[in-house]
């Protein structure tokens, strides 16, 4: 039985002693090197945050009223339909503060106010 040499290079034998699975590094204006990865877009973060909050509360998220990047990830305020009523202007709504990590995973939420949909907010 003859042995034929294997012509493929294993990951540990990549050129210049660098594992082939290593991603290229990029320099950024802030001086830090980061592994190049596709960044999650703000729109994608919002979509996923709405889905996660709706799943956890069991109530539909109607809109996001504020959204910002934080040192730890993302923060947003979502308006949730808590109790549908007829007429719709009497439906009970709630504002939730939602915290997300840098990847967009929900790390915490809390209800900060409840209101009827048809009522103006006198506080703001």
């Amino acid at each position: 039985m003859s042995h034929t040499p294997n012509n493929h290079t294993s990951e540990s034998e990549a050129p210049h002693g660098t594992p082939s699975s290593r991603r290229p590094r990029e320099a950024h204006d802030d001086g830090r090197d980061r592994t190049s990865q596709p960044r999650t877009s703000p729109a994608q973060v919002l979509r996923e945050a709405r889905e996660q909050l709706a799943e956890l509360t069991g109530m539909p998220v109607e809109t996001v009223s504020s959204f910002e990047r934080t040192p730890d990830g993302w923060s947003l305020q979502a308006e949730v339909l808590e109790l549908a009523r007829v007429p719709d202007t009497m439906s009970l709504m709630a504002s939730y503060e939602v915290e997300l990590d840098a990847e967009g995973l929900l790390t915490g939420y809390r209800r900060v106010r409840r209101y009827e949909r048809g009522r103006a907010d006198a506080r703001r």
Side-chain angles (χ1 to χ4, degrees), residues 77-102:
Q77 188 157 346
E79 307 305 314
V80 174
L81 175 63
E82 289 203 331
L83 179 62
R85 292 184 177 157
V86 176
D88 191 47
T89 55
M90 298 302 292
S91 292
L92 190 58
M93 303 291 296
S95 294
Y96 283 81
E97 286 182 356
V98 181
E99 301 298 322
L100 306 152
D101 67 14

Side-chain angles (χ1 to χ4, degrees), residues 34-49:
R34 296 182 189 144
T35 302
S36 62
Q37 298 175 348
R39 292 189 65 172
T40 305
S41 72
Q44 184 64 29
V45 170
L46 283 175
R47 278 191 292 276
E48 292 176 7

Side-chain angles (χ1 to χ4, degrees), residues 19-73:
S20 61
S21 64
R22 190 175 270 172
R23 293 184 181 134
R25 307 207 30 93
E26 296 177 354
H28 294 274
D29 291 340
D30 62 6
R32 294 183 293 168
D33 282 340
R34 296 182 189 144
T35 302
S36 62
Q37 298 175 348
R39 292 189 65 172
T40 305
S41 72
Q44 184 64 29
V45 170
L46 283 175
R47 278 191 292 276
E48 292 176 7
R50 289 175 66 143
E51 291 173 9
Q52 292 175 73
L53 184 61
E55 182 178 353
L56 290 170
T57 63
M59 297 176 280
V61 176
E62 293 215 344
T63 190
V64 173
S65 56
S66 70
F67 178 65
E68 66 181 330
R69 188 101 163 120
T70 66
D72 297 324

